[in-house]
Amino acid sequence: MPRAFSELTFTPAVRTHQERMGSAKTYSKFLESGPRQGHQIGPVEEAFIHARDGFYQATVSETGWPYVQFRGGPVGFLKVLDPRTIGYADLSGNKQYISRGNLDGNDRVALILMDYANQRRLKILGRMTFSEGVEAATNLYIDGSETEAERAAIIKVEALDWNCPRHITPRFTEAELRPHLNTLGKQLADLQTENQRLQRELAEFKASGA
């Protein structure tokens, strides 16, 4: 866990529980030593982000309630713009605008990006701004998106952290399974062809009276 992420998340209340549960000493190094890191996107993070077709995004309402929604789209719709910035085209949806309204009052966002197949998880904390209109989102829009963009959503990364893979149940999308299914399909077709050939040869053998 990088220091930048722990500085934002290890609040006094969190530290109190770490002390009570015996993990404070282990985690203290992330607050007290080493360079302040974990707020820039490196090559590994960039590749991971660009490979995602969705993520979970949390905002906080004016009433103090957290709101989490799933953002999905074609692979690569969440783009790395520079080592401290990511963004996506905010598409037209059900017109509730809960996240959009929440961010007017509090620009903080928390993202969780999941790779279920390989049991990997990246957490990102940042601050979001918007540029309204279809034209503003032109450079972020991905062909194949289900609806048109309403705005560009830009996130300045404050911290990020690779989370422990424990308890991530492996799941696979159709795209992830397709190469394996294609291989199995070809093997099945080859077996069916071979079976038909053997049946013909058996029938010919019986017909010959041998």
Side-chain angles (χ1 to χ4, degrees):
M1 175 180 288
R3 182 178 171 187
F5 194 90
S6 58
E7 285 178 347
L8 294 179
T9 57
F10 288 0
T11 63
V14 171
R15 294 287 290 166
T16 296
H17 281 280
Q18 290 175 351
E19 290 283 357
R20 183 170 65 86
M21 300 303 295
S23 62
K25 185 176 180 180
T26 299
Y27 285 116
S28 63
K29 62 182 179 181
F30 297 109
L31 289 171
E32 300 167 0
S33 63
R36 187 179 188 278
Q37 56 182 348
H39 58 290
Q40 290 198 343
I41 299 166
V44 174
E45 288 80 17
E46 182 173 2
F48 183 84
I49 291 169
H50 284 164
R52 307 276 65 77
D53 62 359
F55 57 89
Y56 301 96
Q57 174 182 288
T59 58
V60 180
S61 73
E62 294 168 283
T63 56
W65 284 101
Y67 179 73
V68 180
Q69 69 171 173
F70 180 78
R71 291 283 183 178
V75 170
F77 81 100
L78 180 61
K79 296 179 177 293
V80 175
L81 306 180
D82 64 49
R84 290 290 305 277
T85 312
I86 58 178
Y88 62 91
D90 193 14
L91 305 181
S92 177
N94 58 13
K95 306 295 183 179
Q96 289 185 346
Y97 299 114
I98 297 176
S99 293
R100 180 67 186 85
N102 288 349
L103 288 159
D104 278 342
N106 187 336
D107 64 355
R108 293 177 178 87
V109 291
L111 275 55
I112 294 182
L113 282 61
M114 300 296 303
D115 177 3
Y116 289 103
N118 296 296
Q119 295 178 287
R120 297 199 299 166
R121 170 173 47 196
L122 179 64
K123 300 181 293 187
I124 299 174
L125 300 179
R127 294 179 180 272
M128 182 178 286
T129 57
F130 295 98
S131 296
E132 297 292 338
V134 175
E135 292 185 359
T138 299
N139 293 334
L140 295 174
Y141 188 80
I142 294 288
D143 291 337
S145 300
E146 293 185 358
T147 59
E148 68 176 13
E150 292 186 341
R151 63 189 60 81
I154 306 298
I155 301 170
K156 284 295 183 182
V157 176
E158 296 285 334
L160 52 83
D161 180 42
W162 288 99
N163 206 193
C164 173
R166 186 181 300 172
H167 307 309
I168 298 177
T169 302
R171 296 185 176 91
F172 302 87
T173 66
E174 181 181 354
E176 290 166 338
L177 286 174
R178 180 50 52 194
H180 305 287
L181 294 175
N182 289 343
T183 298
L184 290 174
K186 184 179 184 306
Q187 291 174 345
L188 178 59
D190 291 343
L191 288 172
Q192 289 175 331
T193 299
E194 177 67 8
N195 184 55
Q196 291 169 356
R197 183 186 66 80
L198 292 173
Q199 288 180 335
R200 286 195 303 269
E201 291 180 357
L202 179 60
E204 293 170 358
F205 178 78
K206 290 181 177 180
S208 69

